[in-house]
Amino acid sequence: MDIGSLDYDTIIGAYEKINGEFFHTVGKEHALIILSQSAYDMSSEELIFRQSAYRLLLCFVEFASEIVESKDKSDQGCWTEALIQHIVTSFLLKHMGNAMNRETSVQKV
């Protein structure tokens, strides 16, 4: 492997390890870093990165819907409905809106 080139196997492997349950184990800051990378990869020229990023964002949305719809508020750890709403409105929608305005393949996804 050359210095400066991407290690596709490691990146894809990391994406594959993240699912809805993963978000139960991390805090807001960790989740925001992961979501930020995912939003960035949504505009990648590499189809596999776009697909992996899309899957991760979908996992987060499903996780967020579980938190919002949960009747047992005591079993959510640090995740609250207000925190989910803040992440979705001030982070995800903002960055996805910016990505959608670019002339890239993210619009198709």
Side-chain angles (χ1 to χ4, degrees), residues 20 23-24 56-73 76 79-81 83-85 87-88 92:
F23 288 106
H24 285 284
L56 185 140
L57 290 172
L58 185 59
C59 285
F60 180 77
V61 169
E62 290 171 353
F63 161 77
S65 71
E66 289 175 13
I67 296 296
V68 171
E69 294 174 356
S70 175
K71 302 219 185 307
D72 184 11
K73 303 294 182 189
Q76 297 176 348
W79 294 98
T80 64
E81 187 172 341
L83 178 57
I84 294 290
Q85 184 176 8
I87 289 174
V88 169
L92 280 182

Side-chain angles (χ1 to χ4, degrees), residues 30-81:
H30 196 172
L32 284 174
I33 291 168
I34 292 168
L35 292 171
S36 175
Q37 182 62 44
S38 182
Y40 176 79
D41 284 344
M42 288 289 290
S43 61
S44 172
E45 292 294 321
E46 300 293 333
L47 178 62
I48 190 74
F49 286 172
R50 288 195 315 267
Q51 290 173 337
S52 296
Y54 170 77
R55 188 192 60 74
L56 185 140
L57 290 172
L58 185 59
C59 285
F60 180 77
V61 169
E62 290 171 353
F63 161 77
S65 71
E66 289 175 13
I67 296 296
V68 171
E69 294 174 356
S70 175
K71 302 219 185 307
D72 184 11
K73 303 294 182 189
S74 65
D75 191 31
Q76 297 176 348
C78 67
W79 294 98
T80 64
E81 187 172 341

Side-chain angles (χ1 to χ4, degrees), residues 3-4 10 12 17 21 27 60 74-75 79 90 100-101:
I3 293 178
T10 301
I12 301 307
K17 291 179 183 176
E21 290 300 314
F60 180 77
S74 65
D75 191 31
W79 294 98
S90 67
M100 296 281 294
N101 287 331

Side-chain angles (χ1 to χ4, degrees), residues 7-20:
D7 183 354
Y8 287 83
D9 292 335
T10 301
I11 295 169
I12 301 307
Y15 270 119
E16 289 175 355
K17 291 179 183 176
I18 299 174
N19 57 27

